[in-house]
Amino acid sequence: MIEDGKVVSVHYTLKNDAGEQLDASGSEPLAYLHGAQNIVPGLERKLTGRKVGDKVDVVVDPGDGYGMRDPRAVQDVPRAAFPPDAPIEVGAAFVVETPTGELMQLHITAITKGPDGAELVRCDANHPLAGERLHFAVEIVEVRDATDEERVHGHVHGAGGHHH
Ligand code: ZN
């Protein structure tokens, strides 16, 4: 049965409200460590107590998923502030270090021109799925005890997990 400290392997699809598929497991199931915040809280909670073979449909509101969109996390940055050879295009993602030393992932969502004609790069620190209601269809393939090392690391090792 699924509980904290179990490694859970699932096949899943993720769709938005419009029914468009956003993500899915590949030929191999995804493995995650239950109770370690490897997956969004709204999904993790609904999988607690389930067992191998269960098929679960879960709808997760943004607050229990990737959070609400924060308009303050969107900023137009002059193209000239980037290295000349940086691959600046809509959809590109990159990691920056904030003044407080945290790493933050940004996505480029638009490239516009400012009043002076200079190119502006719209950088969005929101998760790409922030503000989306998430529709998961999950099939539980395997449940096993986590190893001590996996518990310490807070993630799964081996098939479907981290390799390091
Ligand atoms: Zn590890």
Side-chain angles (χ1 to χ4, degrees), residues 78 112-120:
T112 60
K113 285 212 192 302
D116 59 354
E119 264 192 326
L120 294 173

Side-chain angles (χ1 to χ4, degrees), residues 149-150 153 155-157 162 164:
E149 192 183 48
E150 286 171 328
H153 285 205
H155 57 225
V156 175
H157 293 161
H162 286 242
H164 61 144

Side-chain angles (χ1 to χ4, degrees), residues 1-2 47 49-56 139-141 143:
M1 203 154 80
I2 296 178
L47 293 179
R50 300 293 187 150
K51 56 187 192 314
V52 172
D54 282 0
K55 293 183 178 174
V56 190
E139 181 180 358
I140 297 155
V141 177
V143 180

Side-chain angles (χ1 to χ4, degrees), residues 19-111:
E20 297 161 335
Q21 186 166 308
L22 305 173
D23 194 13
S25 47
S27 54
E28 295 299 315
L30 171 88
Y32 77 94
L33 177 58
H34 198 80
Q37 295 160 345
N38 291 173
I39 61 174
V40 295
L43 178 60
E44 186 165 66
R45 205 180 308 134
K46 286 289 169 75
L47 293 179
T48 301
R50 300 293 187 150
K51 56 187 192 314
V52 172
D54 282 0
K55 293 183 178 174
V56 190
D57 290 321
V58 182
V59 180
V60 177
D61 284 324
D64 271 339
Y66 292 103
M68 304 304 293
R69 284 190 60 80
D70 179 0
R72 291 167 306 175
V74 181
Q75 212 181 348
D76 284 332
V77 179
R79 173 67 180 86
F82 293 86
D85 59 345
I88 301 296
E89 57 183 27
V90 172
F94 53 98
V95 174
V96 295
E97 193 173 341
T98 67
T100 54
E102 287 169 272
L103 295 180
M104 186 167 67
Q105 183 159 42
L106 299 176
H107 293 84
I108 297 174
T109 56
I111 297 171

